[in-house]
Amino acid sequence: MGKFNRQLVNEIKKEKEQESAQLKLREKYEVPEDVMIVEKDNMIKFSVRIIATLIKITIGIIIFLLTVVGIVSLVFPETRNELIFQLSNTLMQLKKFLNI
């Protein structure tokens, strides 16, 4: 037996993806089976999607950097002592602010 025709396999995969997308869209818009739904993007949807992606990437980078700072501050003794001092100082300020 020879290899599968890659173009044929790719076409079949695309057809299956399109069928599943149509099924989801039919459920979303409650349309009968004999209608093909085509969703078009407009500028607002595109902008919202791009902004949401940028926000997710930014939050991921911030979380990564905070994780690195936390690990570094726990590994090295000098930064660990400074971190503990800052945390205790912050707790004292919160107690003053909240009158506890």
Side-chain angles (χ1 to χ4, degrees), residues 39-93:
E39 263 191 338
K40 295 183 178 179
D41 284 341
N42 58 16
M43 193 63 175
I44 294 173
K45 282 185 182 179
F46 178 74
S47 299
V48 168
R49 195 174 301 128
I50 292 296
I51 290 171
T53 304
L54 288 174
I55 290 173
K56 287 179 185 178
I57 290 171
T58 305
I59 289 173
I61 291 170
I62 290 172
I63 289 174
F64 174 74
L65 291 175
L66 288 173
T67 304
V68 169
V69 168
I71 290 172
V72 167
S73 65
L74 291 175
V75 169
F76 296 107
E78 293 174 4
T79 54
R80 185 179 334 132
N81 292 334
E82 186 65 30
L83 177 67
I84 292 171
F85 175 74
Q86 288 297 329
L87 286 174
S88 64
N89 197 6
T90 303
L91 287 174
M92 286 186 351
Q93 292 292 328

Side-chain angles (χ1 to χ4, degrees), residues 2-66:
K3 289 186 178 179
F4 288 112
N5 187 353
R6 290 185 184 182
Q7 290 177 341
L8 183 61
V9 173
N10 288 337
E11 288 178 18
I12 292 172
K13 284 182 182 179
K14 285 180 184 178
E15 285 180 13
K16 286 186 179 183
E17 288 175 4
Q18 185 178 13
E19 287 176 12
S20 65
Q22 284 295 312
L23 182 62
K24 288 178 185 177
L25 289 172
R26 283 190 191 109
E27 289 176 2
K28 181 178 178 182
Y29 295 114
E30 298 175 1
V31 178
E33 292 287 326
D34 60 342
V35 177
M36 183 160 185
I37 302 171
V38 178
E39 263 191 338
K40 295 183 178 179
D41 284 341
N42 58 16
M43 193 63 175
I44 294 173
K45 282 185 182 179
F46 178 74
S47 299
V48 168
R49 195 174 301 128
I50 292 296
I51 290 171
T53 304
L54 288 174
I55 290 173
K56 287 179 185 178
I57 290 171
T58 305
I59 289 173
I61 291 170
I62 290 172
I63 289 174
F64 174 74
L65 291 175
L66 288 173

